[in-house]
Amino acid sequence: LETMLQDLNAPPGALVVMDAGIATEANIQWLRTTGYGYLVVSRERHKQFDAEAAILIREEGDTQIRAQRVVDEVTGEVRLYCHSTGREAKERGIERRFSSRLEADLQYLAEGLQVPGRVKRYEKVLTRIGRLRQRYSRVARYYDIRLEKDVASGNAKALVWTRIVPTEETLPGVYCLRTNQADWDERTLWNTYTMLTDLEAVFRSLKSELGLRPIYHH
């Protein structure tokens, strides 16, 4: 990050806008100590959103974006919790798709306990369940999966699962921006950050429609 800013001749006090990929805690701390402003996507797992405390930032068709501004009294850092109805619909759709796939794979394992030639050994079934948890990690935390063992044979005799109702902590459609621009309002912060989206669209055009990347087929 330091090398990039030097190559860009970024003056002290410039505002650095970054996505989550480069917004590590170490990079944020470096920006803070060297006097740069920053506006980044937070990597923190904790999310919150109070619809009553939020203001409407943008409304376009069925999509609404609302933002809640929270100031850290200790550091003075501002966190902007944003909720997008479009993003919520997309995340819920992805979760439904992964949930149906996980349940189908669990059902296959469960039925296999009674079918000749299918995996029955308790340890092997546990391994399969672990792999499914990895593959569907986005939704696996919402499931309580239990495997019962037949002590006499060493085989699994029953596989049962129940879906746990997600807590509000998951908050689909909510993301958080962090900044040290304490005097900026919600709309200014959000509009400034979304410039990244416009720039990424330009980069995609440069790499595709304008054909500036290597294309080895004709």
Side-chain angles (χ1 to χ4, degrees), residues 102-182:
L102 173 59
E103 291 181 15
D105 286 346
L106 288 173
Q107 185 65 35
Y108 180 82
L109 275 179
E111 292 173 352
L113 301 180
Q114 313 301 327
V115 177
R118 297 263 288 274
V119 177
K120 296 179 181 62
R121 294 297 297 177
Y122 182 80
E123 292 76 13
K124 289 187 177 181
V125 177
L126 273 183
T127 300
R128 295 284 181 92
I129 293 172
R131 289 174 181 168
L132 291 178
R133 285 189 177 279
Q134 277 189 319
R135 186 185 306 168
Y136 304 111
S137 58
R138 186 184 189 112
V139 297
R141 55 183 171 160
Y142 302 146
Y143 286 85
D144 178 23
I145 304 172
R146 299 184 184 184
L147 184 65
E148 297 179 15
K149 183 177 183 180
D150 185 339
V151 179
S153 66
N155 289 341
K157 63 179 181 179
L159 172 60
V160 294
W161 63 92
T162 55
R163 182 173 171 85
I164 304 168
V165 178
T167 64
E168 288 302 313
E169 188 68 21
T170 59
L171 293 175
V174 173
Y175 56 96
C176 178
L177 304 179
R178 293 176 61 182
T179 183
N180 57 355
Q181 303 300 299

Side-chain angles (χ1 to χ4, degrees), residues 194-203:
T194 54
M195 285 194 299
L196 274 184
T197 305
D198 298 334
L199 289 171
E200 288 166 355
V202 172
F203 294 153

Side-chain angles (χ1 to χ4, degrees), residues 1 4 16-28 31 38-45 87 174-178 193 196-197 200:
L1 177 61
M4 285 191 289
V16 180
V17 184
M18 306 185 296
D19 62 19
I22 196 172
T24 64
E25 200 63 39
N27 279 342
I28 292 174
L31 290 169
Y38 60 87
L39 175 56
V40 304
V41 173
S42 174
R43 288 184 167 195
E44 298 166 335
R45 288 188 174 273
R87 182 172 178 151
V174 173
Y175 56 96
C176 178
L177 304 179
R178 293 176 61 182
Y193 179 77
L196 274 184
T197 305
E200 288 166 355

Side-chain angles (χ1 to χ4, degrees), residues 199-213:
L199 289 171
E200 288 166 355
V202 172
F203 294 153
R204 280 194 295 272
S205 293
L206 291 175
K207 293 176 180 178
S208 56
E209 283 89 343
L210 298 183
L212 297 188
R213 64 181 176 184

